[in-house]
Amino acid sequence: MLGLINPGDEVILFAPFYDSYEATLSMAGAKIKCITLRPPDFSVQLDELKSTISENTRAILINTPHNPTGKMFTREELNVIASLCIENDVLVFTNEVYDKLAFEMDHISMASLPGMYEQMVTMNSLGKTFSLTGWKIGWAIAPPHLSWGVRQAHSFLTFATSTPMQHATTATALRAPESYYEELKRDYMSKKAILVEGLKAVGFKVYPSSGTYFVVVDHTPFGLENDIAFCEYLIKEVGVVAIPTSVFYLNPKDGKKLVRFTFCKDEGGDSKECSWKDEREAIEEVRIRNAQASVI
C-alpha cells in the first residue's frame, strides 16, 4: 500500500478490519472509507459499495477468510466487486493469509477471476498456515507494473529477511504435501467445534465462522456495557482472554456488542484455565451484580 497509494487517494475497507490496515493507510496519506459487515452473516452490502466508489477511489482492500469475523467472501460478492473495480479502474489488495483455513466453503482467490490479475496485489504469509507468525515471512503476487511499487517500498522497510528462514520456507513449508493441509483443517475444525459448543453452553450468541481460527460472539446477554468492559471482566474475574472488536472499526461503537475468541489453542488447556462451568458461574455472578445495581 505504501508503494501504490498516493496521499489523498480513497481506499475502501470492510469493517471490522485487521487493525494494521488503518495504520498503514494513514502512513500512506490515504482517505479511508468503510463498508460495515454486520452480523449474523457479515455479508457485503453491494449497493452500499457501489455508491461508495467514487472517481477518487484508488483501491479496495479485502481480507478473505476474514479476520476477525471468520467470514469468507462468496463468489457472488467477489464477482460484483471485481466488475466494479474493472469498471472504475480500482486496484484491489487481498489479504489471503488464512486461505488454508477454509471450512464450510472453498477459498476463492480474487486474482483467479476474469480480468482481475492485472489490477490487484495478492498477499499471503507463512505465519498462519504453518503457525510461524513470529518469522514474519510473507509474499505479494502482482503483475510487474504493480509489483514494482511494492518492491520500492519494501526496499526501505524490511529490505531483507533472514536467509535461512527463507530457505526453510521454500525447501520445506511450501513443498508440504496435501495431507498436511488436510490434517491442519481437521485439527482446526475439531478445535472450533469444542469452542463453539462451549460458548453456546455458556450463553453467548455465536455467529458463523467459515474460515480463520476466530469466532465472534455477542456478549450483550451478560449485561456489561460494552466489549472492552466485558473483556476486562473476563480477564480479571474468569482468567480467559477475548479481544474486544471495537478496535477493528473506524467508529469503535460499531463493535461494542461483539468480542472475538480464538481456537488455535491446545484442546486440553492447562491447570490455569477455567472450565466452561467456571465461566458460566462467573458470568451468572455478573448478571446478579447488575440486577442488584439496577435495583439500588
Side-chain angles (χ1 to χ4, degrees), residues 22-37:
E22 182 182 2
T24 303
L25 288 170
S26 296
M27 286 189 284
K31 179 180 179 182
I32 300 172
K33 289 187 171 182
C34 266
I35 303 294
T36 301
L37 307 177

Side-chain angles (χ1 to χ4, degrees), residues 41-87:
D41 58 0
F42 299 99
S43 61
V44 178
Q45 300 302 307
L46 296 173
D47 288 339
E48 182 183 358
L49 176 60
K50 291 177 184 177
S51 63
T52 301
I53 294 176
S54 75
E55 61 181 12
N56 297 318
T57 302
R58 171 65 170 163
I60 295 176
L61 198 159
I62 298 172
N63 173 205
T64 183
H66 181 258
N67 175 14
T69 68
K71 166 195 169 56
M72 293 181 64
F73 282 66
T74 65
R75 184 173 292 277
E76 178 187 3
E77 289 172 332
L78 293 175
N79 279 333
V80 172
I81 294 170
S83 64
L84 288 171
C85 290
I86 292 172
E87 178 184 344

Side-chain angles (χ1 to χ4, degrees), residues 67-139:
N67 175 14
T69 68
K71 166 195 169 56
M72 293 181 64
F73 282 66
T74 65
R75 184 173 292 277
E76 178 187 3
E77 289 172 332
L78 293 175
N79 279 333
V80 172
I81 294 170
S83 64
L84 288 171
C85 290
I86 292 172
E87 178 184 344
N88 295 279
D89 193 24
V90 172
L91 297 178
V92 177
F93 297 96
T94 58
N95 174 355
E96 302 182 14
V97 298
Y98 296 100
D99 63 336
K100 300 300 184 183
L101 300 180
F103 305 119
E104 278 76 26
M105 56 189 290
D106 292 333
H107 168 71
I108 301 170
S109 181
M110 196 163 181
S112 67
L113 301 182
M116 283 309 299
Y117 177 76
E118 289 300 315
Q119 61 188 81
M120 66 175 296
V121 180
T122 304
M123 295 169 282
N124 212 315
S125 168
L126 191 74
K128 314 302 179 182
T129 305
F130 297 96
S131 303
L132 295 169
T133 51
W135 282 29
K136 298 297 182 185
I137 293 181
W139 49 92

Side-chain angles (χ1 to χ4, degrees), residues 8 25 27 32 41 49 55 137 144 156 168 178 181 188-189 191 198 202 206 219 248-249 252-253 265-266 281 293:
L25 288 170
M27 286 189 284
I32 300 172
D41 58 0
L49 176 60
E55 61 181 12
I137 293 181
F156 294 98
E178 191 61 31
Y181 301 107
Y188 273 128
M189 289 183 71
K191 295 177 188 294
V202 172
V206 181
H219 69 81
F248 301 123
Y249 292 83
K253 291 183 179 180
K265 305 292 182 182
D266 292 335
E281 291 174 349

